[in-house]
Amino acid sequence: MFITMIASECAPVAKVGGLGDVVFGLSRELEIRGNDVEIILPKYDCMRYDHIYGLQETYSDLWVPWFDDMVHCSVFFGFVHGRKCFFIDPHLPQQYFNRGIYYGHKDDDERFGFFCRAALEFMWKSGKNPDIIHCHDWQTALIPVLLYEIYQNMGMTHPRVCYTLHNLKHQGVTGGHILSETGLNRPEYYLHYDRLQDNFNLHALNLMKGGIVYSNFVTTVSPKHAWETRHTEQDFGLGHTLEIHHQKFGGILNGIDYDVWNPETDPHIPQKFDINHLDKKYDNKKVLRNHCLLREEFKPIISYIGRLDHQKGVHLIKHAIFYALAHGCQFVLLGSSPDSELNDYFWNLKNHLNNNEDCHLEIGYNEELAHLIYAGSDMMIVPSLFEPCGLTQMIAMKYGTIPIVRDVGGLSDTVFDADHAHKPYEERNGYVFSDFNDQGLESAMYRAIGLYYSYPKFFRELMTNAMRCDYSWNLPGQHYLNVYEHIIEK
Ligand code: ADP
């Protein structure tokens, strides 16, 4: 099968969060299974160019329709750890992708609207005819709309589209200008409840809704979240649309790439370890303490890695820090936020805790340090308000780090409470709490810390249970292939 992934992120070259990991990991798995996979990305100035092998211009003369004009683009090709990637570089004074960060500009809708049009124009002009186009989140939601409304009429009738929702909080709600820019035009046609009209703001277009309506199949990143998006307020206003299209909608749990996240082979950790050599994990704990200037004492390290966003439960993260420090633990945080208010909030907290020898907050993005934290911590918290899948809990488990998570989305599908899960003991792998408040979080942290100090043998068993879990791309890869085959046959 020939599959083209079109996305705004791909790890490790252009990664903001889990979306990047998924685009890379799924592509790799599909290739291992004998499929031909190509990835199309914007050519950002802030990418990790050190992870692209053999980058060269392959298409110097791509002209993309935009407004009533044509925009000149170059297309580059390079390998990202073996994956075939095309990078689109528009030559425009607005410098859409040369702004030092990936997201967070006022014209993000325009930037990614352009990217969608350019990706399809590139496929059309270069004669690419994939069986499947797989696009992701609101940034590439216009791909199926443009394909079925413009490119099919030009003869591009073969590709089928799978569209994955990674985060419904960001839907690309925008104005009619995007229609004239992309060449879709006809606002009276698209501003319709059955097409792109936002379900609440009747004068606005909702790109994610358009992606859902026009794709052949829509997935989200865990079965529980698929249910939540149809039956709870976690639909972010798209519940009715998903209900209408429920026959082409389902949840497939994300995998993680065990080539990247594996304590047996990880080049970023000083001491490799596995389930039979668990003591070696503690050499990493020592190095993590040195790195973070934490004192050497018999205490567990609890950590948090992730975006600092309200979705992630920032007030609970703060509460976890103080609860850990008050209950004989150390705490390490690695995170950043594009929101300056939240960033300032954590910078203040960092300054406040600066002299504390049991605590280290690292504000920023640091892929290498993330590996060391997964390997050197004893527990990791994920107290999210909502979490479509969540990767950090799955990565933590692979490194024998016990996850403490809230009972939502993919966290519920992957973490099974040591005391309360309806699972045999050997399948329990962490701690889970329900209430999105301090007491809820404490109920799980209290039990986890208690087990660590009072029943070390059982804590170690829980660690090995977690390490035995298989959250590789193996099963999800097969599920996606089943979806692809299903929509090709239809
Ligand atoms: P989301 O996609 O909502 O951001 P996920 O849990 O699905 O959250 O994925 C987060 C991914 O991003 C993980 O691979 C995690 O290790 C990584 N990550 C998040 N923040 C940072 C950071 N500040 N530094 C390094 N890696 C980070």
Side-chain angles (χ1 to χ4, degrees), residues 15-19 21 167 254 261 305-307 311-312 334-336 364-367 370 374 387 389-393 395:
K15 170 175 162 179
V16 175
L19 168 62
D21 288 310
N167 194 332
N254 282 337
W261 302 109
I305 299 178
R307 292 182 295 114
Q311 173 201 340
K312 301 290 180 182
L334 170 62
S336 64
Y365 189 91
N366 187 333
E367 188 79 23
Y374 286 116
E387 194 59 79
C389 178
L391 298 180
T392 58
Q393 82 283 9
I395 301 171

Side-chain angles (χ1 to χ4, degrees), residues 175-196:
H177 61 93
I178 202 81
L179 298 174
S180 39
E181 286 161 353
T182 53
L184 286 166
N185 298 314
R186 295 195 289 161
E188 65 294 341
Y189 176 72
Y190 291 105
L191 205 62
H192 186 285
Y193 192 79
D194 293 343
R195 296 190 187 87
L196 271 72

Side-chain angles (χ1 to χ4, degrees), residues 176-387:
H177 61 93
I178 202 81
L179 298 174
S180 39
E181 286 161 353
T182 53
L184 286 166
N185 298 314
R186 295 195 289 161
E188 65 294 341
Y189 176 72
Y190 291 105
L191 205 62
H192 186 285
Y193 192 79
D194 293 343
R195 296 190 187 87
L196 271 72
Q197 185 182 51
D198 188 73
N199 292 348
F200 295 94
N201 181 350
L202 303 186
H203 301 290
L205 293 166
N206 186 317
L207 303 186
M208 186 171 263
K209 177 176 168 181
I212 295 169
V213 171
Y214 277 83
S215 296
N216 300 100
F217 206 90
V218 182
T219 65
T220 189
V221 288
S222 68
K224 172 97 185 265
H225 194 58
W227 181 86
E228 288 167 345
T229 53
R230 283 179 60 198
H231 302 293
T232 73
E233 75 285 1
Q234 290 192 27
D235 69 340
F236 290 96
L238 285 175
H240 190 236
T241 307
L242 290 169
E243 196 55 43
I244 293 171
H245 295 277
H246 72 272
Q247 279 178 325
K248 59 167 190 178
F249 176 56
I252 299 179
L253 191 69
N254 282 337
I256 56 171
D257 190 338
Y258 287 148
D259 258 17
V260 178
W261 302 109
N262 186 348
E264 292 174 46
T265 53
D266 192 333
H268 301 300
I269 62 174
Q271 182 64 267
K272 321 265 182 277
F273 62 98
D274 60 33
I275 207 160
N276 300 313
H277 303 90
L278 213 44
D279 282 337
K280 291 185 180 172
K281 176 175 166 75
Y282 299 105
D283 295 344
N284 297 304
K285 186 170 178 177
K286 221 177 217 146
V287 176
L288 177 62
R289 278 186 167 141
N290 273 340
H291 181 95
C292 298
L293 304 176
L294 301 183
R295 67 176 145 184
E296 190 62 52
E297 269 201 9
F298 179 71
K299 285 183 175 189
I301 298 181
I302 304 180
S303 56
Y304 172 81
I305 299 178
R307 292 182 295 114
L308 298 172
D309 184 289
H310 291 294
Q311 173 201 340
K312 301 290 180 182
V314 277
H315 65 286
L316 293 184
I317 296 170
K318 180 186 169 194
H319 187 72
I321 295 174
F322 288 100
Y323 186 83
L325 296 178
H327 291 81
C329 306
Q330 298 183 318
F331 202 98
V332 174
L333 173 143
L334 170 62
S336 64
S337 170
D339 177 339
S340 57
E341 232 172 76
L342 274 177
N343 247 355
D344 291 350
Y345 176 83
F346 277 93
W347 270 108
N348 285 337
L349 199 58
K350 181 181 168 70
N351 291 336
H352 175 69
L353 292 164
N354 212 16
N355 296 324
N356 193 311
E357 289 174 296
D358 287 325
C359 185
H360 180 79
L361 311 190
E362 183 96 10
I363 318 289
Y365 189 91
N366 187 333
E367 188 79 23
E368 287 77 13
L369 178 59
H371 285 252
L372 181 62
I373 296 175
Y374 286 116
S377 307
D378 298 285
M379 305 166 211
M380 178 166 283
I381 56 151
V382 195
S384 303
L385 175 62
F386 69 96
E387 194 59 79

